[in-house]
Amino acid sequence: MPPSLLARSAQGATFLILLQIASRALTFIVNQVLLRYLSPQILGVATQLELFSISTLYFSRESIRVALQREQSDEEREEPTKEKSNGQDVQRSSSIQADQRVQEAVDLSYVAIGMGIVLTMIFQWLYIRRADVAVLSTKYLHASLNLYALATVCELLHEPLFAIAQQQMLYGTRASAEMQATLTRCIITCLTTIWASRSGIDLGVLPFAVGQLSYASILIIGYIYRLYHFYQQKGISLLPRTLGPSGGRFPSALVKLAAILYGQSLFKQLLTSGDAYLIAALTNLSSQGAYALASNYGGLLARVLFQPIEESSRSLFARLLPPHTLNTPSERVSREQATTYLTTVLRLYTLLSLLLTTVAPPLTGPLLHILAGPRWTHTEAPAVLAAYCYYIPLLATNGLLEAYVSAIATPSQLRTQSACMVGFSILFAAVGWVILRLYDMGARGLVVVNAVVTVGRISWSWGFVRRDLRERGGSLAIVDLLPTVGSLAVGVAGRSVLEGIGEPGNMGMVYFGKMGCVVGLCGLVILFFERGFFIQCHGMLRPFAASSSK
């Protein structure tokens, strides 16, 4: 595999992680301000509207994005041709073919726009029909829902531009455009809420809707501004157009792959956001607000760190591992690189999981007391957040393994995975109903259900990855992912010390200082015990950093 490609993939992951850190930091700051002005009921309704928008976007575009992500980049496609001949005619032909593939990606993105418009109307109608009286009585609910629907369609309109950036691996363009849009949304939402509160005006969830519409508008403007010269220079049309003498618009293989992935995405979204659907249907607004707060904090690490790694890893695996293995020297090198990358990231996840499951749970109550105020500490939020500390490691591992599967699996293997998703979805719905209705475990029970189903998904993906690597002449062993015995002992000891520091009711500077010292000391000692592994990671990254700096 060309070092430049691996460097670009690493650089892409860095851009996406920085984007998530910056956007989540802004969102986090705004949320801390808004929590002083919002009730759990309003936060619960805002979460429902956000779920409406996220679901529409996911079902409209996710399968098409993943299908396009499996397409090779221009650089990879041009290199083999250039090795055969250095003639200008051949290079010109390769460039034309590369531009045509970008145009195919732009054209296919309009399928997502069309589906999104239809789904927006359907979901909007269903929301009004299914909403309970408490939700419908929220001020400016219908206006807010209409603005969210408009914002969703506007956000879908940038898909042709996103397809260009994704095909050309223009991660910096994506990061800057989304960062400006996120900043605009945060500012407008925060200022509107504060103005309404100080003016004595009850706007309900309208500030969130106005902020979402501003996000979609700035996102389109940002992409157009940054990509205008690129698609003008390449002669790429942002409108769909017929390609070639046959009049075909999309490659049939790409369309079939997108169709398979779309069927899979239906059940994947149910498993990913099923907790939000269940709690919206089976609990009151106060519980929904408490769960939204806890899940936002609990999922912060997953969205900031794990999601960008998952996305960049999917692109990397698709380029490293060809669908048909010939066991050539170059393929063996690529397989070893993919195995090393997968093992290293999973080992890093394991070490992070050690801290999350040992020293993090005792900190959830005090942290919520600081961040959200004392009234939130008397809700379900602290218990849900503590449960999330055990769930996040499973979420991270599942994301990376499923990125491997979606990157290299054949259509028949994807259909097999889809069948398993059906089973997991049925299991999730059944167990979730039992926990919420029969045992009344509340929001914390939903985290338990998510964890159980995620373990099942991990088991299937783990088996797939091991079989695939074995067929390619490689291997993947659990023992290579485990931390040292010393690290495990430090985690257990740190948990015991944190639980014995004192009562959370006496939350003074001394109390938090002690907790901070214990966590910091645990981290340093684990770093010492794992020093050999981190030295190895540093050695792996050096050539990539050198190649990217050239």
Side-chain angles (χ1 to χ4, degrees):
M1 174 181 178
S4 60
L5 178 58
L6 194 49
R8 289 170 67 185
S9 298
Q11 186 182 44
T14 303
F15 272 127
L16 295 180
I17 291 174
L18 291 176
L19 168 64
Q20 290 292 331
I21 291 175
S23 62
R24 295 302 169 183
L26 284 172
T27 305
F28 179 82
I29 294 172
V30 170
N31 284 341
Q32 301 318 300
V33 176
L34 294 180
L35 286 174
R36 310 295 173 178
Y37 299 94
L38 297 177
S39 65
Q41 289 78 11
I42 293 297
L43 186 58
V45 177
T47 303
Q48 291 183 8
L49 293 179
E50 184 180 5
L51 181 62
F52 156 77
S53 178
I54 291 174
S55 299
T56 305
L57 293 172
Y58 185 90
F59 290 131
S60 303
R61 70 189 185 186
E62 184 65 18
S63 60
I64 294 175
R65 283 187 171 187
V66 175
L68 292 175
Q69 202 171 28
R70 289 176 56 142
E71 289 290 286
Q72 291 179 319
S73 66
D74 292 350
E75 179 182 346
E76 292 173 282
R77 292 179 184 267
E78 289 177 31
E79 282 179 355
T81 308
K82 292 179 182 178
E83 290 176 1
K84 295 179 183 179
S85 172
N86 292 322
Q88 294 182 355
D89 293 339
V90 175
Q91 292 187 13
R92 188 180 301 110
S93 176
S94 300
S95 178
I96 293 174
Q97 292 177 3
D99 293 343
Q100 180 171 311
R101 281 186 291 273
V102 176
Q103 186 66 55
E104 290 171 352
V106 171
D107 291 354
L108 190 60
S109 66
Y110 275 87
V111 177
I113 296 175
M115 292 173 56
I117 294 174
V118 175
L119 289 175
T120 298
M121 293 187 294
I122 294 175
F123 288 165
Q124 189 176 8
W125 179 79
L126 287 175
Y127 183 84
I128 294 298
R129 289 290 300 271
R130 303 290 297 179
D132 57 32
V133 177
V135 174
L136 294 175
S137 62
T138 304
K139 287 288 188 67
Y140 299 104
L141 175 69
H142 287 81
S144 301
L145 181 60
N146 290 333
L147 287 178
Y148 260 96
L150 179 60
T152 301
V153 174
C154 288
E155 187 170 348
L156 283 169
L157 291 178
H158 96 287
E159 283 302 300
L161 295 160
F162 179 89
I164 295 175
Q166 188 71 23
Q167 286 282 303
Q168 302 300 313
M169 301 180 74
L170 302 176
Y171 294 107
T173 298
R174 175 183 169 185
S176 57
E178 294 187 12
M179 184 62 219
Q180 287 185 346
T182 301
L183 178 62
T184 304
R185 177 175 58 189
C186 291
I187 292 175
I188 290 181
T189 302
C190 192
L191 291 180
T192 306
T193 302
I194 294 175
W195 171 81
S197 177
R198 293 184 175 179
S199 302
I201 302 173
D202 183 9
L203 293 180
V205 291
L206 192 60
F208 292 92
V210 175
Q212 189 65 25
L213 182 59
S214 68
Y215 170 86
S217 303
I218 298 299
L219 188 65
I220 296 176
I221 296 172
Y223 267 98
I224 292 176
Y225 174 76
R226 289 168 177 81
L227 292 177
Y228 177 79
H229 293 292
F230 177 84
Y231 63 76
Q232 287 289 327
Q233 181 182 7
K234 293 284 187 178
I236 298 171
S237 173
L238 292 183
L239 297 176
R241 68 185 186 188
T242 303
L243 300 172
S246 62
R249 197 177 296 279
F250 314 124
S252 58
L254 187 60
V255 174
K256 291 179 181 178
L257 176 62
I260 294 172
L261 290 170
Y262 186 80
Q264 187 183 93
S265 69
L266 298 176
F267 301 101
K268 199 169 184 178
Q269 175 67 0
L270 177 60
L271 294 174
T272 303
S273 301
D275 53 351
Y277 297 135
L278 281 179
I279 199 168
L282 301 178
T283 61
N284 56 44
L285 286 178
S286 296
S287 295
Q288 291 177 40
Y291 182 78
L293 177 68
S295 60
N296 282 337
Y297 287 138
L300 191 63
L301 183 61
R303 292 186 293 269
V304 168
L305 180 61
F306 302 141
Q307 184 178 338
I309 292 177
E310 176 184 343
E311 185 173 338
S312 60
S313 297
R314 186 162 49 232
S315 297
L316 186 61
F317 290 139
R319 289 163 170 79
L320 276 173
L321 302 172
H324 304 291
T325 58
L326 301 175
N327 203 28
T328 61
S330 61
E331 286 191 0
R332 286 195 293 270
V333 171
S334 296
R335 183 252 301 157
E336 291 174 359
Q337 290 179 335
T339 305
T340 301
Y341 173 85
L342 181 62
T343 304
T344 301
V345 176
L346 286 175
R347 178 77 180 275
L348 288 171
Y349 282 180
T350 303
L351 294 175
L352 186 59
S353 303
L354 179 62
L355 288 174
L356 284 174
T357 56
T358 54
V359 302
L363 302 175
T364 56
L367 285 177
L368 275 181
H369 183 85
I370 296 176
L371 298 175
R375 68 173 177 175
W376 287 93
T377 59
H378 301 294
T379 66
E380 295 180 79
V384 177
L385 188 57
Y388 252 93
C389 295
Y390 301 96
Y391 172 54
I392 290 174
L394 300 176
L395 200 63
T397 303
N398 178 69
L400 184 63
L401 294 177
E402 287 193 348
Y404 185 103
V405 175
S406 62
I408 61 98
T410 63
S412 62
Q413 291 170 332
L414 288 174
R415 282 191 289 268
T416 301
Q417 187 188 27
S418 298
C420 293
M421 289 289 184
V422 175
F424 291 139
S425 300
I426 296 173
L427 176 65
F428 176 85
V431 177
W433 185 87
V434 169
I435 284 182
L436 285 179
R437 280 295 174 90
L438 298 185
Y439 290 94
D440 195 24
M441 292 181 63
R444 184 172 55 176
L446 279 178
V447 182
V448 176
V449 176
N450 277 323
V452 172
V453 176
T454 304
V455 169
R457 294 170 65 181
I458 290 173
S459 300
W460 190 92
S461 299
W462 176 263
F464 176 92
V465 172
R466 292 196 66 183
R467 286 192 302 271
D468 183 76
L469 289 177
R470 187 164 54 246
E471 292 173 359
R472 299 174 187 271
S475 62
L476 182 65
I478 295 180
V479 68
D480 297 329
L481 315 178
L482 299 178
T484 61
V485 177
S487 298
L488 290 172
V490 170
V492 174
R495 174 67 174 268
S496 301
V497 173
L498 286 173
E499 290 179 343
I501 282 180
E503 292 296 328
N506 303 319
M507 296 183 185
M509 292 298 297
V510 176
Y511 175 81
F512 290 111
K514 289 180 180 179
M515 300 193 82
C517 289
V518 173
V519 174
L521 182 61
C522 288
L524 289 175
V525 177
I526 290 176
L527 186 64
F528 172 78
F529 281 118
E530 305 291 340
R531 61 189 182 279
F533 169 69
F534 285 108
I535 291 174
Q536 178 185 352
C537 292
H538 177 70
M540 289 173 54
L541 292 174
R542 285 177 60 187
F544 305 155
S547 64
S548 62
S549 63
K550 290 181 181 179

